[in-house]
């Protein structure tokens, strides 16, 4: 299983970025999908998550500015980030909880390599 994240970069405050995550490999079913971020010198935190059915959850600091979505048919996830602030600067990681085999009900978390988002003031 591989997670490929893309879309990070440098943007001025108030700007927008769109992060994408594509999941490939031996996959039976993806449960929750999520984006985490880790600012410099700080711990990793959950930014947003989306269930297989489309229910979403956001950390308070990004509500109204970020939108998470997924395409179950393509095993992809997008984080649209608008009105970016310098405090959004961090390495962003995609995370999924998935089942590899149909005969095994247990799911496991998988992480992608981070993508850097830098917001200048």
């Amino acid at each position: 299983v591989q997670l490929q994240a893309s879309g990070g970069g440098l943007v001025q405050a108030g700007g927008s970025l769109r992060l994408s995550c594509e999941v490939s490999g031996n996959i039976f079913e993806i449960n929750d999908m999520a984006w985490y971020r880790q600012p410099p010198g700080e711990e990793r935190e959950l930014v947003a998550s989306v269930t297989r059915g489309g229910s979403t959850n956001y950390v308070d600091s990004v509500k109204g500015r970020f939108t998470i979505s997924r395409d179950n048919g393509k095993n992809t996830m997008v984080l649209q980030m608008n009105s970016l602030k310098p405090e959004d600067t961090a390495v962003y990681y995609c995370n999924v909880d998935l089942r590899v085999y149909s005969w095994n009900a247990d799911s496991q978390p998988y992480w992608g390599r981070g993508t850097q988002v830098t917001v200048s003031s």
Side-chain angles (χ1 to χ4, degrees):
V1 177
Q2 292 186 327
L3 280 68
Q4 182 65 49
S6 61
L10 172 64
V11 65
Q12 289 188 329
S16 299
L17 283 174
R18 182 181 175 90
L19 303 184
S20 298
C21 179
E22 180 176 1
V23 186
S24 61
N26 192 15
I27 303 165
F28 171 67
E29 183 178 74
I30 300 176
N31 298 324
D32 292 354
M33 305 181 80
W35 288 96
Y36 286 73
R37 67 185 179 187
Q38 187 166 17
E42 299 183 30
E43 295 191 354
R44 193 173 299 187
E45 66 168 353
L46 174 65
V47 176
S49 64
V50 57
T51 68
R52 183 169 180 79
S55 296
T56 59
N57 181 57
Y58 299 91
V59 66
D60 287 346
S61 61
V62 308
K63 286 181 179 177
R65 300 188 297 121
F66 291 11
T67 302
I68 188 172
S69 60
R70 64 188 283 174
D71 185 326
N72 292 332
K74 296 181 179 179
N75 292 336
T76 57
M77 170 176 62
V78 168
L79 184 68
Q80 178 65 43
M81 306 186 293
N82 298 327
S83 302
L84 283 161
K85 303 175 180 180
E87 50 264 44
D88 295 318
T89 295
V91 178
Y92 284 69
Y93 298 88
C94 59
N95 165 270
V96 299
D97 184 74
L98 64 81
R99 294 170 58 191
V100 173
Y101 303 110
S102 60
W103 47 264
N104 187 350
D106 293 338
S107 61
Q108 298 179 50
Y110 291 83
W111 292 89
R113 298 178 68 178
T115 184
Q116 177 70 47
V117 171
T118 303
V119 184
S120 63
S121 57

